[in-house]
Amino acid sequence: MSFLLTKSVLKYAAMPEIMPRVKTLVFGGFGYIPFFIASVYQMVGLLPKNHPYLLQENIGRFGIRHVIAQAATNIKFSFKNIDQIILFIAVLAGLVIFIIQFFAMASVFLLQPAAALPTNWDGFFTIVNPGFRSQDISFMMLDMVFGVPHPSLGAAGFFESCVSTATVCQDAQGNNLLPMNTGLLTTINPGIAAQLSPLAPGAPFPFPFHEGLHRLFGIYSTALLVIAMMITSYFVATIIGETAQSGTPFGRRFNKTWAPLRIVVAFGLLVPLTVGLNSSQYMVLYAAKYGSAFASNGWRYFNDTLSTSYLGAGQRLISTPNIPELSELTQFMFVARTCRYIHDFYHLKQLQDDTPASGTPPAALPAGQGIEAYALLPDNNAVLINTGTSYAGVKASFTDNVRTMKIRFGIRDDDKYEASKSNVKAICGEVTIPYTDGTDVGLQEPYVREIQEGYFDLVRDLWHDTFWVGVGGGGAYPAFTAAQNNRYKFIANNKVTGLPLDINHNVGLDPEYVQNINDKAQATMRLVVTTAITNAVTSGLWGGPYNGTAANADPLYSRGWASAGIWYNRIAQVNGHLSAAVFATPEVTTYPAIMEQVAGVKAKYDSVVLAKDRFKPVASGVDDIGLLLDQQNGTEYASALYTAITDWETASGVELQQSSNSNPIISFIKSFFGLTGLYNMRDNQANQTHPLAQLSGVGKSLVEGSIRSLSYAGLATFFGALGVAPGLMKVASNFLITFAMLGLTVGFILFYVVPFLPFIYFFFAVGGWIKGIFEAMVGAPLWALAHIRIDGNGLPGNAALNGYFLIFEVFLRPILIVFGMLASISTYSALVSVLNDIFSLVTENTAGYDIESEIGASRDTLNYMRAEIDQFFFTVIYVIIVYMLGMSSFKLVDTMPNNILRWMGQSVATFGDQREDPAQNLVSRASIGSQQALSQAGRGLQSTSKAIVDAGAG
C-alpha cells in the first residue's frame, strides 16, 4: 500500500499526465449520457428500477453501448410491447443522426476548397509577390540591421527589401519616402551623400556599419572554429585514453553512430562563408526570413477571408461623437440676418434721399452695395459666398499654413474699407471656421473634410434662405411658411420706423420655431457626421482584400505582418481627427458692428456690465446712446438687434425649460467638463463600437471640455479684474482650473496613450523578435560548438537541443505575435461587450435600486440629483474597468509568443521574454509626468488668475 502511495505521489509530482487531461477535456461530462438513456429505457420497462446503470454512483463506469446492449436483451418483439420497440429504435436513430452530424461538421472544417490555401512551399514560407516582398516592414528592418547580401542576387540584400534593392521605399500611406536632404554634400561628394541616404534607390548596400559588423562576425566565427578544433583535439585525446584504460575501442562513452556525425555538423556550421557569416548564422537568417514570410502570408490570408474590412466591421472602430450645441451659431445668424435687413433699408433710404430732384430714386440697392457674406482670403482678397458656393472652391484659395477661414458679413469696398481685412467691413459680424482636415501636414482625411464642409454649408445656408425655409435631417421637420421665414423682419418692423410691412412680417418669435431651427442645425450636422463615418469605413483606411496587383492593394496590406500594429493604431488617428473636426464648430468672432460699438460705450460709462446686457443700448449718464454711435439712427438700429438677440434667448430658454427633463446641475457639469463622451460611452458600446474607440472618444471629450473650462476660467478672471464679484470670480476661476487640469490628465491618458497601447505592445514585440535574432546570430556559433559531444544519442545530443528550439522560436514568433494581437482584440471586445450587458444589473443591485418604489414614488430634489450623480460615478467606474481590461488583454501580444513553446515541453527564454512591460511603464510614467506637469501649470494659472483679480479689484 505504501508503495502504491509513493508511486502516486511521484507520478503526480514528476509526470505531466497529459493523456489523462486530454481524456478529461474531450470525454469529461459525457458519462451522464448513458445514465440518461438508461433512465429513458427504465420508464418503458426495458431496464428494471434497481438496475446498476440507474445508480448515480455508477455514472461514468459504463458506456452507451452497455446500456443499449442490456436494453436489447430485454426486448420482446410483440404487439403489446410496441412502445418499448418504438422508443428503442428512436434512441438508436437519434444516436446515428448525431454521429452523422458530427462527421458532417468535421468535414466543413477539414475539407475546405483547395484554392483557399497554398499548395507548395513558396505559398507558405516565401512572399511570392516582389512588390510585397520589397515593402515588407520586417524585411526592411532585417536588411537595415544585418545588411547581409543575398547569396545569389548579387547587390540585393538577403531579405530583398527596398532597403537593399533599387526599389523606392514607401510609408504606411503608400507615398514614396524621399531620401534625406544632404545639402552641400551632394555637390561636394555624391558618394558620401548617397551613403547618408540609405533609403535612396541606388545607395550602396551593405552600409559601412554592416561591413564592420560582418567583419566582427567573421572574426568571431573564426575564433570559435579554432576553439572547436581545440575541443575536438581534447575529445580525441580523451577517446585514446579511455580506449587504453577500458580496452574498448573508442571507449565506453563514445557513441559510434552519432558522435562522428555531430562533430562533422559542428565544423560544417562553424566554417565562415560569405561576408564572414557561418552556416549556423545563415540558418538563423533563413529561419527569420521564412518565419516572417509565413506570418505575412497568414496575415494576408486572414485579411482576404474577411468580407468587408480588416478585423471586422470598420464602423465599429469609429466612435460617433455627439454634435456640440449649435444654438449660439443659429442665434448669431438670426441677428446677422436682422442686421442685413435693417442696414440695407437704411442704405437704400439714404440713396433715395440723396437722389437729385431730377433723378429717379433707386427701387433697390445696386449690386455690391448690400450686405453679403465673404470668405476672407490670405492674399487680402475675398470670395463672395452665394447659395451654390462650395467649401472646396473657397478652400482651394488658401495656403496650407492658414488654420482658419473667416466669413465676414458686410460690404466690400476697395477704397472705402481699405483698412479692413480684404477690404470687407464686418458690418453684420464675422464667423471663424477652424481647419482640422490635416491638409497642412499632408494627411489624407476626406471624412474630416466632409465635416468641415458641413459646417461651411451650415453657415452659408443660415445666411441665405436655404436653411430657414425648410428643414434638413431627412425631412424630420416641416418646411416653414413665408411668414415664419420672415420673423426677423417682424422684430425689425417693431423697432425701426419706415420699414415696409406686409402680411408676412407680422409673425414673432416663439419657442417652437427656435427649437425647430436648433434641432434642424443639430440634425443637419448629425447627418453630415454619420455620412462622413460611413465614407470613412469604405474609404480604404481600414484596408481590404488584395485584388490582384500590389499597386491596387491597400498600402498596409503589402507591409506584411509587422504592419498589423500600425493598422490598429489608426483607431486613435481616425477617432482623434473625427472628434477634432466635430468639435471645431464655427465660432462667432464679432457681432454686428453697431452692437460692438454699444458694448464699447457701455464698458466706458458703466462700472458693471452684465453679460446679458452687454448689447443693450442704454448707458449710465447717457441720454441717447445713439449720439455716440457711428451709425445714423443708431439707437433704433441697436435696439432692434438687441431685441433680436434677447428674443431668441428668451424663446430658446422657455422651450428648453418646458421640454427638458434633465438635471440642470448635471447638465452644467457635462457642459463645462466635457462629460458628454463619458455618458455616451455605453451607448456607443450598445452600437458595437470598439472599446478603444470608446475610450478615445471619452478622452477627446474630456480634453475639449478641459480646454473649454480654461477659457471659462479666463473669462471669470476677466470679470473679476473688472470688479464684478471679484471674490466669487476668484473661487470660480480656481475651481475651473483645478477640474480642467484633472480632465486634461485623464483625457491625455485615454485619448493619446490608451489607443496607442496595442501599437506599443506590437511594436515592442516586433523589436523583441529582431533582438532575439541578433542574440541568435551571436549564440548560433556557440550552439554549433554544443554539438561536439562524444556521448548521448541523437544529432543534437544533450547540449544542443535547446539551440534547435531557439531557432524554431525565431521562425515561429512572428505568426505567434499576430495570433497574440488577434487574441487580444477578440478577448477585449468580448469582455467589454459582456461587461456592458451586465453592468446595469450590477450597478442597480449595488445602489439598492427598487423598481416598485421608483414607479410609485415622486422625485424629490435630493433623489433627482442623486440619480444623476450615481450615474456619473458608476460610469467612471465603467471606464476604469474597460481600461483595465484593455491593459490585461493586450498583454497577450507578449504572453502568447513568450510561453507557447511550453506546449512542446521546452522552456527557452529570449531577450523578448525578459524585458519589462513597455506599455504599462508608458501609462504609469505618462500619468505621473502629465499629472506633475499639469499640476504645476494649474498652480501657475491659479496664481496668475488671483493676481489679476486682486490687481483689478484693488
Side-chain angles (χ1 to χ4, degrees):
M1 184 69 182
S2 61
F3 171 75
L4 294 176
L5 180 62
T6 304
K7 181 180 179 181
S8 301
V9 172
L10 292 176
K11 181 178 180 181
Y12 178 82
M15 299 299 291
E17 295 185 337
I18 294 176
M19 292 310 298
R21 284 174 167 78
V22 172
K23 182 179 180 181
T24 302
L25 176 65
V26 177
F27 299 105
F30 290 104
Y32 283 92
I33 295 178
F35 174 76
F36 292 146
I37 296 176
S39 299
V40 172
Y41 284 160
Q42 187 271 328
M43 288 189 298
V44 294
L46 288 176
L47 292 177
K49 292 183 179 181
N50 59 350
H51 196 278
Y53 291 170
L54 297 172
L55 300 178
Q56 292 188 357
E57 57 266 24
N58 291 330
I59 293 176
R61 297 181 179 179
F62 56 90
I64 296 176
R65 63 183 180 88
H66 300 98
V67 177
I68 295 176
Q70 185 64 42
T73 59
N74 297 329
I75 292 180
K76 295 180 179 180
F77 291 93
S78 65
F79 184 78
K80 65 178 182 179
N81 296 327
I82 190 64
D83 56 336
Q84 295 179 343
I85 298 172
I86 293 175
L87 186 62
F88 183 81
I89 295 174
V91 171
L92 284 179
L95 292 174
V96 171
I97 293 173
F98 172 78
I99 295 173
I100 294 174
Q101 289 180 338
F102 177 80
F103 282 104
M105 181 180 65
S107 66
V108 170
F109 289 102
L110 299 177
L111 302 178
Q112 293 291 336
L117 292 175
T119 57
N120 52 33
W121 171 272
D122 288 342
F124 277 107
F125 303 114
T126 65
I127 301 178
V128 179
N129 190 305
F132 291 170
R133 189 164 59 244
S134 65
Q135 302 299 331
D136 191 282
I137 293 178
S138 60
F139 284 180
M140 294 169 63
M141 289 191 293
L142 290 169
D143 265 339
M144 294 188 71
V145 171
F146 298 105
V148 177
H150 196 282
S152 60
L153 296 180
F158 184 86
F159 298 96
E160 304 175 63
S161 73
C162 60
V163 174
S164 61
T165 61
T167 308
V168 179
C169 294
Q170 296 177 341
D171 60 15
Q173 283 75 38
N175 303 315
N176 290 341
L177 290 176
L178 300 177
M180 68 175 71
N181 185 6
T182 52
L184 294 177
L185 286 177
T186 304
T187 57
I188 298 175
N189 192 327
I192 296 178
Q195 292 182 19
L196 293 178
S197 301
L199 297 181
F205 183 86
F207 307 156
F209 168 80
H210 295 152
E211 294 177 349
L213 180 65
H214 299 161
R215 181 62 61 87
L216 180 61
F217 274 133
I219 295 174
Y220 177 63
S221 299
T222 303
L224 290 182
L225 181 61
V226 174
I227 294 175
M229 296 179 65
M230 296 172 62
I231 295 174
T232 303
S233 300
Y234 164 76
F235 277 122
V236 170
T238 300
I239 291 171
I240 294 174
E242 290 185 359
T243 300
Q245 181 184 9
S246 63
T248 302
F250 299 102
R252 295 177 179 176
R253 290 191 303 155
F254 187 80
N255 189 310
K256 299 180 179 59
T257 302
W258 291 108
L261 183 59
R262 282 200 294 264
I263 294 174
V264 172
V265 169
F267 278 92
L269 292 175
L270 285 170
V271 173
L273 302 176
T274 59
V275 297
L277 302 184
N278 56 39
S279 299
S280 65
Q281 292 168 327
Y282 270 107
M283 286 182 64
V284 172
L285 294 179
Y286 274 110
K289 185 174 184 179
Y290 293 144
S292 180
F294 182 38
S296 293
N297 289 332
W299 173 245
R300 277 188 277 269
Y301 276 111
F302 171 75
N303 294 331
D304 289 342
T305 305
L306 297 180
S307 59
T308 56
S309 58
Y310 284 121
L311 309 183
Q315 60 269 22
R316 297 183 180 181
L317 299 173
I318 303 178
S319 176
T320 304
N322 284 344
I323 308 300
E325 187 62 45
L326 299 172
S327 57
E328 182 183 2
L329 177 64
T330 56
Q331 178 193 49
F332 167 79
M333 297 304 297
F334 180 81
V335 174
R337 286 165 60 85
T338 308
C339 169
R340 175 181 60 181
Y341 179 63
I342 298 174
H343 182 276
D344 288 353
F345 163 74
Y346 281 141
H347 190 35
L348 177 60
K349 188 173 182 299
Q350 183 179 0
L351 291 179
Q352 292 172 341
D353 293 342
D354 294 343
T355 301
S358 59
T360 301
L365 281 176
Q369 295 192 26
I371 304 294
E372 297 289 352
Y374 293 92
L376 309 185
L377 302 182
D379 59 355
N380 208 34
N381 205 340
V383 175
L384 177 64
I385 298 178
N386 296 314
T387 55
T389 303
S390 67
Y391 170 79
V394 178
K395 181 69 169 57
S397 303
F398 284 75
T399 56
D400 288 341
N401 59 351
V402 179
R403 300 294 299 163
T404 59
M405 175 189 294
K406 293 185 180 295
I407 300 179
R408 183 169 292 180
F409 307 102
I411 298 177
R412 182 181 184 186
D413 192 314
D414 296 342
D415 298 326
K416 189 176 181 179
Y417 304 127
E418 186 177 1
S420 300
K421 173 67 175 175
S422 301
N423 302 330
V424 178
K425 184 177 180 180
I427 298 174
C428 288
E430 181 182 271
V431 170
T432 299
I433 302 178
Y435 284 160
T436 58
D437 57 8
T439 54
D440 57 324
V441 292
L443 296 177
Q444 300 177 359
E445 308 291 0
Y447 58 94
V448 175
R449 284 194 289 273
E450 290 180 38
I451 299 173
Q452 200 83 56
E453 185 172 357
Y455 280 128
F456 174 86
D457 293 344
L458 180 62
V459 174
R460 178 198 63 196
D461 295 342
L462 280 169
W463 175 249
H464 299 283
D465 289 337
T466 307
F467 185 90
W468 304 87
V469 297
V471 176
Y477 306 98
F480 300 125
T481 63
Q484 292 171 324
N485 186 41
N486 289 293
R487 293 175 188 237
Y488 67 97
K489 296 182 181 180
F490 174 80
I491 293 175
N493 277 287
N494 286 340
K495 295 295 180 180
V496 178
T497 58
L499 278 171
L501 181 64
D502 61 35
I503 192 173
N504 292 326
H505 299 174
N506 60 356
V507 180
L509 277 176
D510 60 78
E512 182 181 3
Y513 174 79
V514 174
Q515 188 66 37
N516 282 342
I517 292 296
N518 289 333
D519 289 346
K520 175 184 177 179
Q522 298 291 132
T524 300
M525 287 309 303
R526 192 177 301 113
L527 180 62
V528 170
V529 172
T530 303
T531 304
I533 291 176
T534 302
N535 293 338
V537 172
T538 58
S539 65
L541 290 170
W542 312 106
Y546 174 53
N547 56 5
T549 64
N552 293 331
D554 174 72
L556 281 182
Y557 187 90
S558 61
R559 300 298 182 270
W561 69 274
S563 68
I566 299 177
W567 173 88
Y568 206 71
N569 194 47
R570 283 182 172 175
I571 293 178
Q573 174 188 348
V574 172
N575 282 281
H577 289 153
L578 185 70
S579 298
V582 171
F583 283 106
T585 58
E587 302 171 358
V588 179
T589 308
T590 60
Y591 281 86
I594 192 72
M595 299 177 70
E596 297 289 351
Q597 291 178 20
V598 170
V601 172
K602 290 177 69 67
K604 182 177 180 181
Y605 286 90
D606 292 346
S607 58
V608 177
V609 180
L610 299 179
K612 67 184 184 65
D613 296 330
R614 185 160 60 107
F615 299 127
K616 187 176 183 179
V618 176
S620 300
V622 179
D623 296 333
D624 185 3
I625 197 174
L627 300 175
L628 303 177
L629 305 176
D630 296 338
Q631 175 70 39
Q632 188 179 5
N633 308 107
T635 302
E636 61 179 12
Y637 191 2
S639 178
L641 297 185
Y642 175 72
T643 302
I645 195 171
T646 54
D647 282 6
W648 186 280
E649 288 176 351
T650 302
S652 178
V654 170
E655 172 62 19
L656 290 177
Q657 185 177 0
Q658 291 176 349
S659 64
S660 177
N661 293 321
S662 62
N663 189 333
I665 298 175
I666 299 299
S667 298
F668 170 82
I669 295 175
K670 290 168 67 176
S671 173
F672 273 76
F673 305 116
L675 301 182
T676 303
L678 182 66
Y679 278 123
N680 287 278
M681 180 174 180
R682 292 191 61 210
D683 292 337
N684 270 320
Q685 176 59 31
N687 295 327
Q688 300 299 313
T689 302
H690 195 276
L692 276 189
Q694 298 174 42
L695 292 175
S696 179
V698 171
K700 184 64 176 178
S701 178
L702 290 175
V703 170
E704 295 289 343
S706 300
I707 295 174
R708 188 163 52 250
S709 297
L710 289 177
S711 65
Y712 291 143
L715 188 62
T717 302
F718 172 75
F719 282 114
L722 293 179
V724 180
L728 178 61
M729 292 296 107
K730 190 187 304 182
V731 173
S733 178
N734 291 338
F735 176 79
L736 290 168
I737 291 174
T738 300
F739 273 86
M741 294 301 107
L742 178 62
L744 281 175
T745 302
V746 178
F748 173 78
I749 297 297
L750 292 180
F751 178 63
Y752 293 102
V753 178
V754 171
F756 206 55
L757 291 182
F759 172 76
I760 290 294
Y761 276 113
F762 195 87
F763 178 78
F764 276 88
V766 176
W769 178 66
I770 298 292
K771 291 190 294 182
I773 296 174
F774 208 109
E775 175 196 14
M777 292 289 287
V778 177
L782 300 176
W783 164 66
L785 283 177
H787 286 82
I788 305 179
R789 295 290 188 274
I790 61 175
D791 55 349
N793 294 315
L795 180 62
N798 297 327
L801 181 61
N802 277 349
Y804 285 93
F805 280 100
L806 282 170
I807 294 178
F808 182 67
E809 194 267 350
V810 169
F811 166 81
L812 202 59
R813 181 172 280 263
I815 199 166
L816 294 179
I817 293 174
V818 174
F819 273 121
M821 191 195 74
L822 297 180
S824 65
I825 294 171
S826 302
T827 55
Y828 187 33
S829 300
L831 288 172
V832 175
S833 178
V834 173
L835 174 67
N836 190 69
D837 291 338
I838 67 174
F839 195 73
S840 296
L841 179 62
V842 173
T843 54
E844 288 167 3
N845 290 333
T846 302
Y849 179 78
D850 186 353
I851 187 170
E852 293 182 0
S853 62
E854 287 292 327
I855 292 175
S858 60
R859 277 190 165 184
D860 56 27
T861 304
L862 181 61
N863 290 333
Y864 185 50
M865 294 171 53
R866 174 63 187 272
E868 297 290 347
I869 293 175
D870 286 346
Q871 179 189 0
F872 166 71
F873 283 109
F874 282 133
T875 307
V876 171
I877 294 173
Y878 179 86
V879 173
I880 294 173
I881 295 175
V882 172
Y883 164 76
M884 294 173 63
L885 289 175
M887 289 296 297
S888 59
S889 296
F890 284 106
K891 291 179 181 178
L892 286 172
V893 177
D894 283 333
T895 304
M896 184 172 291
N898 289 349
N899 299 286
I900 200 71
L901 285 184
R902 75 182 191 278
W903 286 87
M904 298 181 65
Q906 297 295 319
S907 179
V908 291
T910 64
F911 284 166
D913 304 345
Q914 302 166 6
R915 59 179 171 82
E916 297 180 352
D917 189 337
Q920 188 170 351
N921 293 336
L922 171 67
V923 173
S924 60
R925 292 171 184 172
S927 178
I928 295 173
S930 62
Q931 187 174 5
Q932 292 176 348
L934 291 173
S935 296
Q936 294 178 359
R939 287 193 293 269
L941 288 174
Q942 289 176 343
S943 300
T944 303
S945 174
K946 180 178 181 298
I948 293 175
V949 173
D950 291 342

